[in-house]
Amino acid sequence: MPAAPTPATPAPVWRDRLRRLRRRVDWMMLFPAAAAIAWGFGESAVAMVLVVVLPVCMALQAGRRGLVEAPIRTADRHPIQRTAVQNFVDEVLEDCATRDRTTAVLLIQIDDLHVANGEWGTELSETVMDRVVQRISATMRGQDAVFRSSDDCLTLVLNPTRRADLEVVMNIVDRVQAAVAEPISIRGRSIRVRSCIGLCSEAMAPARTGAALLAAADCALRIASRQGGDTVRAFTADLQTQVETDHKLSTRIDAALESGEIRAWFQPQIQTTTDRIAGFEALARWHHPDLGVLTPGQFLGAIASAGRMAELGNVMLRAALEALVEWDRIGLDVPHVGVNVSLEELSDPRLAERLTWQVDRYGLSPARVAVEILETVTLRENDETIVRNITALREAGFQLDLDDFGTGAASISHIARFGVHRIKLDRSFIHNIDGDADQRRVVGAILRLAENLGIDTLAEGVERAEERDCLIRLGCPHLQGFGIARPMPFDDATTWARAQAGGKIAALHHMRPHGTA
């Protein structure tokens, strides 16, 4: 295997060619030929071959092994340039062709490094990354290579091997993610991070070049990063199409935000104790002129990459406030509307001031707006800006909803310290809850503990009547999901709410889903 690259100036062309020649030639095969030729010239020639040629061949062969089977290099703190890694992968591919072997590339993005930032500064993040690199290196074979390719990303290149199909590579992925998931103890604090992985084997790649393998793995990583958590994606042509679609969307983001192509749709939330509308959640939809109506999963990645999440948040907040004003005008009882607030917005020191000004501008009470934040945000307890924003929003009277509860590492007691008013149980807790006794016990325990702490609860992703009935029996006070109604444009949401007899949910237990998408 080629020696792992280091951040250095490129070698001259002649030196690179000599290096490739040394790697391709089996130098020990030349010794018998040299000895046979020397035999015809007598004993002195044979002696010369033994004394001179044999040591030279052994040295060159040892050098070849060093190039082909270099030990793993633990990634340096300084990211290695992509061109150096690309050249390295090219040499691995050439070695594979020579030896009838194959390889694969994995790009590993370490998430939640922000947990390591705070009172100790970014140096702690570097320490966490160092530990992660050491752990990943320990799970690999001695000839595999691990490089630091960016501040939070690693590149893993497999040494030429007989098999690198999906089954083999996924076994490696499992080892890597298990190593990353183990808590890291630093200065008396236990820190957990997660990893998203994009992978591409030689067989999956669109071309047999280092550039193609790295680009394909990067394509897969982009999609995995969009899903978050410990998502893994292998490169396919469909993923490439998705990334190309992202690029197409990215060129139209500004126009879409300004022209109204991106709008709010509204999904109802109901109270199980009163059978009334508890509120709506405002969800973004992009009415694209060529691609049709797109859901957030199809375009949020492009907007986040463009750094326009704050602008999207402004669009959704204005739509939610305008909806509340109109529903009040026509006499519909809608207690509040939930709006999602991104990490980018929470990092704005003036977020609470801006939201308060907007609500006051529409003549509404802050309590009519439920600010939805992701559970992982609560892990940033040392981020002064985020903590200050959450505290200011709570003190201003906004309702704080914690979205996707159960997908991160935060406990209810930890969340209680942030003063959230309601947790939204992730749909993974709700799916088939009626047929899983263990799942019912877990959800029941969460509901009881939340009630004891004075925290309200809502179950997301309720799709079937059996799930709905089970949650009602468990005492879950609020429900949301396709089994109640799908997200709808404003006019359809208004019609739906009016049809519920002035806000009351008729025949809750037998109601069919409503809405269009």
Side-chain angles (χ1 to χ4, degrees), residues 215-234:
D218 184 63
C219 174
L221 179 61
R222 290 188 188 189
I223 304 302
S225 299
R226 182 184 302 173
Q227 302 298 321
D230 291 311
T231 305
V232 179
R233 289 291 181 268

Side-chain angles (χ1 to χ4, degrees), residues 406-423:
T407 59
S411 64
I412 290 184
S413 59
H414 180 85
I415 290 166
R417 292 199 293 271
F418 274 80
V420 300
H421 300 95
R422 183 170 66 174
I423 59 175

Side-chain angles (χ1 to χ4, degrees), residues 377-425:
V377 169
T378 64
L379 298 176
R380 291 178 174 256
E381 57 186 334
N382 292 315
D383 190 315
E384 182 179 355
T385 301
I386 289 178
V387 173
R388 180 175 176 271
N389 270 327
I390 292 176
T391 301
L393 289 169
R394 184 178 63 248
E395 292 176 349
F398 290 92
Q399 176 173 310
L400 296 180
D401 280 5
L402 197 72
D403 205 6
D404 295 341
F405 177 77
T407 59
S411 64
I412 290 184
S413 59
H414 180 85
I415 290 166
R417 292 199 293 271
F418 274 80
V420 300
H421 300 95
R422 183 170 66 174
I423 59 175
K424 301 181 72 174
L425 297 178

Side-chain angles (χ1 to χ4, degrees), residues 114 309 341-348 351 374 376-377 380 383 386 389:
H114 57 262
M309 291 298 290
V341 176
S342 66
L343 180 59
E344 181 180 327
E345 293 175 276
L346 282 169
S347 299
D348 174 10
L351 172 68
L374 291 174
T376 51
V377 169
R380 291 178 174 256
D383 190 315
I386 289 178
N389 270 327

Side-chain angles (χ1 to χ4, degrees), residues 127-142:
T127 302
V128 171
M129 278 298 293
D130 289 345
R131 298 277 185 90
V132 168
V133 169
Q134 292 169 7
R135 289 182 176 183
I136 292 176
S137 300
T139 67
M140 306 310 299
R141 299 171 301 170

